[in-house]
Amino acid sequence: MIGRLNHVAIAVPDLEAASAQYRDALGAKVGAPQDEPDHGVTVVFIELPNTKIELLYPLGEDSPIAGFLEKNPAGGIHHVCYEVEDIIAARDKLKEAGLRVLGNGEPKIGAHGKPVLFLHPKDMNGTLTELEQV
Amino acid sequence: MIGRLNHVAIAVPDLEAASAQYRDALGAKVGAPQDEPDHGVTVVFIELPNTKIELLYPLGEDSPIAGFLEKNPAGGIHHVCYEVEDIIAARDKLKEAGLRVLGNGEPKIGAHGKPVLFLHPKDMNGTLTELEQV
C-alpha cells in the first residue's frame, strides 16, 4: 500500500541558518522559503536525488510546530510522509488494523495541494506519519 | 555533496510487531531481522520504491538504542542517513563549517559494510545524521 517516501520533515529553530547549512556545508539543492498560512508553517524544501527534506518553521499564532520547538529547542525530526494511491482506502485499512487517524479522520489538503492524513505517533512506533495521496 | 537519502532509522520497542505492522497494515516490503552485533542492534529493512526505513531494536548489552528507547518507550525516529561519494572529503568540509563529528572522527564500517560517520545532532537541527560512503 505505501509507496515512496515523499519527505522527511525537520522542524528547525532558524530557517535561514538551516537553509544555509544544507546549501553551503552539505551542498544540497535548497529551495526558497514558502509560507503556508493554512498550515501555520513556513517550509523550505531540500531536494535530494530520491526524496525531499522539508524544513519546517512556525508561521503565525497556533502553529503546530511551535510546541514541538518548545520541547525540542534545537529542532528535530517532526514526521515522515509516505505516498499512497488512494487515501480513503488506505485510511480505512489502517483504521481496521487499529491505527488512529488524527483530527476528524477526513483528509485535508496538505502543503503540496494533495489530500493528506496523519496517523497517531503512538500507533506508529513514536513516529508522526503523514500519508499523501499522489 | 550529499546525495540520496539512504534510509530513515526508527527505533522500535517490539521489532516483530513493528515488522508485522509495516508488512500487513501498511503493505510494505519487509525484510528478515538481521543481527548486527558490532553495532548493538537488530535491524529490519522496509524497502520503499525510493529509499529504506530501517527498524532498529537493541541487541546485547550497551546497545546505542537502549537509552533512546528508555527516553522514548513508544519508539521514535532515531536518525537519517545521507549518501556521500567521499566520506573523508565530506567530513573535512563539514568540520571546516563547524559541525562536530561523533566519536574519534574516523569513519567506521556501518551496518551495510560501508564507511559511515555520524554528525552531532545539536549541529544538525536536533537530527542525528549519518553519512554513508556509497
Side-chain angles (χ1 to χ4, degrees):
Chain A
M1 184 173 68
I2 57 169
R4 298 173 73 257
L5 178 77
N6 186 274
H7 62 267
V8 177
I10 300 177
V12 302
D14 182 334
L15 192 56
E16 205 172 319
S19 301
Q21 185 185 49
Y22 270 88
R23 186 181 56 236
D24 302 333
L26 293 162
K29 190 173 169 190
V30 175
Q34 302 172 24
D35 287 347
E36 304 278 358
D38 289 354
H39 298 276
V41 290
T42 301
V43 301
V44 164
F45 288 107
I46 316 288
E47 281 184 47
L48 303 180
N50 61 332
T51 189
K52 295 189 290 277
I53 304 294
E54 183 180 286
L55 303 180
L56 297 177
Y57 186 79
L59 175 68
E61 289 174 23
D62 302 324
S63 167
I65 302 302
F68 183 88
L69 282 175
E70 255 168 53
K71 279 187 216 151
N72 305 277
I77 302 178
H78 187 262
H79 67 267
V80 294
C81 175
Y82 300 125
E83 298 180 356
V84 296
E85 281 188 15
D86 180 336
I87 201 160
I88 299 298
R91 175 197 67 186
D92 292 349
K93 177 151 192 247
L94 293 170
K95 281 174 75 174
E96 250 185 55
L99 279 80
R100 286 167 287 178
V101 173
L102 296 186
N104 67 1
E106 295 305 317
K108 291 188 180 172
I109 297 303
H112 311 136
K114 309 260 177 74
V116 301
L117 282 175
F118 282 91
L119 303 175
H120 198 303
K122 285 261 166 72
D123 300 337
M124 284 294 292
N125 305 294
T127 302
L128 180 60
T129 303
E130 183 177 16
L131 300 179
E132 179 175 309
Q133 180 170 300
V134 290
Chain B
M1 184 172 67
I2 58 170
R4 297 173 73 257
L5 179 75
N6 186 275
H7 62 268
V8 177
I10 300 177
V12 303
D14 182 333
L15 192 57
E16 204 171 320
S19 300
Q21 185 185 51
Y22 269 88
R23 185 180 56 234
D24 302 332
L26 293 162
K29 189 173 170 190
V30 175
Q34 301 173 27
D35 288 347
E36 304 278 359
D38 290 353
H39 298 276
V41 291
T42 301
V43 302
V44 164
F45 288 107
I46 317 288
E47 281 185 45
L48 304 179
N50 60 334
T51 189
K52 295 189 290 281
I53 305 294
E54 183 179 286
L55 303 180
L56 296 177
Y57 185 78
L59 174 68
E61 289 174 22
D62 303 323
S63 167
I65 303 303
F68 183 88
L69 283 173
E70 255 169 53
K71 279 188 218 152
N72 306 276
I77 303 179
H78 187 263
H79 67 266
V80 294
C81 175
Y82 299 126
E83 298 179 355
V84 295
E85 283 188 16
D86 180 336
I87 200 161
I88 298 296
R91 174 198 67 185
D92 292 348
K93 178 154 191 244
L94 293 170
K95 280 173 77 174
E96 251 186 54
L99 279 80
R100 285 166 288 177
V101 174
L102 296 187
N104 67 1
E106 294 306 316
K108 290 187 182 174
I109 297 303
H112 309 135
K114 308 261 178 75
V116 301
L117 281 176
F118 282 91
L119 302 176
H120 198 303
K122 285 262 166 72
D123 299 338
M124 283 294 294
N125 305 294
T127 302
L128 180 60
T129 304
E130 183 178 16
L131 300 180
E132 179 176 310
Q133 180 170 299
V134 291

